[in-house]
Amino acid sequence: MSSLQKLQEGNKRFASGKPVHPDETLKRLRELKGGQHPFAVVVSCSDSRVPAELVFDQGLGDIFSIRTAGNVMGDYELGSIEYAVEHLDCKLIVVMGHKSCGAVKAFVDTKGNYDQEDHIKKIVEYIGNEKEENDLVKANKLSMDNAVNANVLHGVNFLKNAEPILKENYEQKKITIIGAVYDIETGKVTFEKIK
Ligand SMILES: [Zn+2]
């Protein structure tokens, strides 16, 4: 079974209310003490309803997880992903947004004119500066669902072009980078079609 199929199968179990909760024991942790070999990197939102291990019914040692509000990525997140690819041999990277994402909503509601001087502003501005979001605004198609999709598309494009390491690995077809959206009502994850 491919890494992507493993995630899809796990999400099917989760969304049907029949998770098996694999790899969650102390025994499993001890098996991993010699080293970790997670089969996927998942970049998702910090939202408490979006933990990758639960959504994909995985456990210890399975997923290399990156989470920020709005799944935005900067140098620290990129460095983390590069580490997973270079040193842990991860070949699948999933950028997973979710419906009703608060960070995306903050952008949609304020159209980027977030007026508080805090660090949340950085996240809202980041999303507001994404080309994919601006294309929506220009086309007069800004809605929550479209904005969530555009934010995921941005994350995927960002990683495919991230030098060094990710861009080269992607172009040499050594890694797969794919977008997905998680529905926080049904629990289902929809993956983009791989071209
Ligand atoms: Zn969110």
Side-chain angles (χ1 to χ4, degrees):
M1 195 186 293
S2 73
S3 297
L4 182 59
Q5 283 170 328
K6 267 198 213 176
L7 293 181
Q8 288 172 321
E9 290 297 313
N11 179 248
K12 257 188 217 161
R13 295 194 299 272
F14 172 74
S16 62
K18 291 177 185 138
V20 298
H21 300 293
D23 302 341
E24 288 186 5
T25 61
L26 198 54
K27 179 172 170 277
R28 171 66 174 159
L29 184 63
R30 286 179 180 145
E31 284 169 5
L32 291 166
K33 75 173 181 229
Q36 56 166 332
H37 304 284
F39 68 85
V41 175
V42 177
V43 184
S44 61
C45 184
S46 297
D47 189 306
S48 60
R49 297 163 292 184
V50 194
E53 288 79 2
L54 294 181
V55 169
F56 293 115
D57 194 28
Q58 302 297 322
L60 298 164
D62 294 333
I63 292 176
F64 195 88
S65 202
I66 318 280
R67 293 175 69 182
T68 59
N71 35 273
V72 298
M73 289 175 273
D75 286 342
Y76 299 124
E77 291 74 24
L78 268 184
S80 303
I81 299 167
E82 287 176 354
Y83 177 78
V85 169
E86 279 284 277
H87 299 283
L88 303 179
D89 208 25
C90 257
K91 307 232 178 283
L92 173 65
I93 304 171
V94 179
V95 178
M96 182 172 78
H98 68 100
K99 299 228 179 199
S100 309
C101 180
V104 174
K105 186 167 188 299
F107 158 67
V108 172
D109 287 352
T110 63
K111 302 283 187 299
N113 297 311
Y114 182 87
D115 59 3
Q116 304 285 319
E117 288 305 321
D118 52 24
H119 290 85
I120 302 170
K121 184 184 174 92
K122 303 279 184 199
I123 295 174
V124 181
E125 283 181 345
Y126 181 105
I127 295 171
N129 286 330
E130 293 173 358
K131 179 188 177 294
E132 293 78 0
E133 297 293 354
N134 284 300
D135 288 347
L136 277 184
V137 173
K138 276 182 214 144
N140 217 7
K141 286 183 178 160
L142 189 64
S143 65
M144 259 311 285
D145 283 352
N146 286 347
V148 165
N149 292 343
N151 185 45
V152 168
L153 183 62
H154 169 81
V156 168
N157 289 336
F158 176 71
L159 293 182
K160 285 177 179 175
N161 289 292
E163 292 179 313
I165 298 180
L166 298 185
K167 188 171 196 271
E168 294 81 73
N169 275 277
Y170 174 72
E171 285 176 354
Q172 292 165 19
K173 299 194 185 336
K174 290 181 183 162
I175 57 173
T176 300
I177 302 172
I178 184 172
V181 174
Y182 165 62
D183 185 325
I184 57 170
E185 283 182 37
T186 63
K188 284 183 186 161
V189 175
T190 307
F191 289 89
E192 70 169 317
K193 289 190 181 65
I194 300 180
K195 287 134 216 154

